[in-house]
Amino acid sequence: MIHGLRYLWVVLFFVAFNSAAKDDYGPLQVYSQSPFQTNSLTPQLRSGFSNDPDTQEFYLSGTAASIWANAGNYELDYYQNQISTGWKWQFEQDWQLALSYRWNYAGNNHLDGPTRWFHDLIGIDQNGREEVDDHRFIISIPDYDVNLEDFRGRTLSNAYTAYLQYQLYSSEHHAWSVGGSLYYNDINKGIFASSRFEQALQVNYGYQRGKHQADISAGYTSRRNQEAYQNFPLKKSVLSVSAGYRYKIAEQHTLIGEMSVYEGVSEGKDEFSKVSTEFTAGYRYTMESSALEISATENLFNADNSTDIAFTLGYRYRF
């Protein structure tokens, strides 16, 4: 199978014809999948470039993720699924508005087996996953009196986000923009009950030349409600930085790699107080007025505070 995958990539590169047309959809439409970051406001990687005036975009995506974190003094083992939809409007030359809704819920997506297979394939340690039963739903953090089990089917977060962006500078190859987000998560009952506002500021840089495009975003998030899972203490503010690279291999085909680094969210001295790092590899197929995206997100460096693996399928439509 490995030889087959290598052959597929070779074919994709050699059949690509010489087109330097701009892929103006920007970074992948994905969200952080680390357990605490995905259920709160986490700035997304965005392009420093604006769209053409009066351009509107609608998107819909679905994500299936497997959460596994086991550091001895706590255990997280469950599946997380995410349905996300949103709308973006470049209503002036320099101003852009985006609205989104994101629903995270715990549902059995049967990723335990494929996750172990994938880790074996690329030589990543299983970190104890092979020693427990499949398809569990457990969040156990005894130090903070958090012990949740059998929560399959429960909503983890129910979030609305508004984002407003202003174009600071733009040229043929470089662009800078700055944006602010307002986030509201509302779950009115159950073990994950929460109602809170969070805010974020971010600055975005974009670079493009021919078939090559790159993006960098740095963000700052603040919150008032500093508890998750009833008793787990969250930091009042956190920083994040993301970077991505896109290569247009043909008129309709783009390969994408993105990496995000998130400051630890915990106020305590545990693994969740350490940096969480995610890498996303994706592919975009661009049509006349829409695009289809598929991507996989894997944790890097610290397996005990981030998602094992997540797969996202998304559709974007331009008006």
Side-chain angles (χ1 to χ4, degrees), residues 13-286:
F13 275 95
F14 276 94
V15 299
F17 48 83
N18 239 351
S19 169
K22 183 177 68 171
D23 176 356
D24 62 354
Y25 280 90
L28 291 164
Q29 189 59 254
V30 295
Y31 200 77
S32 171
Q33 292 301 310
S34 292
F36 291 101
Q37 282 87 351
T38 197
N39 291 300
S40 60
L41 176 56
T42 302
Q44 292 178 253
L45 176 63
R46 300 179 186 268
S47 175
F49 289 92
S50 297
N51 296 131
D52 293 332
D54 209 32
T55 297
Q56 298 183 57
E57 178 185 315
F58 167 80
Y59 77 86
L60 177 67
S61 68
T63 299
S66 177
I67 309 292
W68 170 261
N70 190 338
N73 60 335
Y74 66 84
E75 183 178 20
L76 277 68
D77 185 10
Y78 61 96
Y79 295 127
Q80 174 177 274
N81 303 284
Q82 184 177 108
I83 302 297
S84 180
T85 185
W87 167 77
K88 181 169 64 175
W89 178 29
Q90 190 75 38
F91 62 93
E92 294 286 351
Q93 181 74 37
D94 296 327
W95 288 96
Q96 182 184 108
L97 174 67
L99 304 175
S100 66
Y101 169 71
R102 186 175 302 102
W103 176 43
N104 285 350
Y105 68 97
N108 190 350
N109 54 41
H110 299 278
L111 276 179
D112 277 343
T115 299
R116 288 196 301 270
W117 173 84
F118 180 73
H119 283 191
D120 286 338
L121 177 67
I122 63 177
I124 298 178
D125 186 80
Q126 298 289 354
N127 196 29
R129 180 180 283 279
E130 73 280 14
E131 300 172 6
V132 300
D133 294 335
D134 287 350
H135 318 315
R136 302 191 305 164
F137 288 85
I138 293 175
I139 298 175
S140 177
I141 313 176
D143 290 350
Y144 302 111
D145 196 28
V146 176
N147 186 24
L148 308 174
E149 296 187 19
D150 299 324
F151 51 88
R152 177 178 175 178
R154 299 295 186 92
T155 294
L156 303 175
S157 60
N158 188 53
Y160 304 83
T161 305
Y163 174 78
L164 183 64
Q165 177 175 291
Y166 177 71
Q167 191 75 44
L168 294 173
Y169 170 80
S170 182
S171 67
E172 181 182 359
H173 300 300
H174 306 274
W176 290 88
S177 63
V178 62
S181 299
L182 179 63
Y183 167 101
Y184 178 61
N185 178 38
D186 181 34
I187 304 175
N188 56 20
K189 62 181 180 179
I191 56 178
F192 299 105
S194 175
S195 180
R196 68 175 186 266
F197 282 98
E198 300 182 26
Q199 306 82 36
L201 291 174
Q202 67 183 87
V203 59
N204 313 301
Y205 168 73
Y207 171 81
Q208 60 185 24
R209 186 179 293 272
K211 298 181 180 182
H212 307 274
Q213 294 176 295
D215 309 285
I216 300 175
S217 294
Y220 169 85
T221 303
S222 68
R223 60 175 64 92
R224 289 185 178 180
N225 186 334
Q226 293 177 246
E227 289 187 351
Y229 303 150
Q230 299 172 337
N231 299 307
F232 189 85
L234 297 177
K235 290 181 179 178
K236 187 176 180 179
S237 61
V238 290
L239 300 173
S240 63
V241 62
S242 301
Y245 169 72
R246 289 172 280 137
Y247 180 71
K248 194 174 181 67
I249 60 175
E251 182 63 30
Q252 296 176 286
H253 308 277
T254 304
L255 297 180
I256 306 169
E258 298 179 358
M259 184 173 176
S260 297
V261 180
Y262 309 112
E263 183 182 0
V265 299
S266 172
E267 288 281 14
K269 296 181 179 180
D270 50 56
E271 291 299 310
F272 291 103
S273 67
K274 300 178 181 178
V275 165
S276 171
T277 309
E278 297 178 341
F279 175 75
T280 300
Y283 162 78
R284 176 183 295 145
Y285 178 73
T286 306

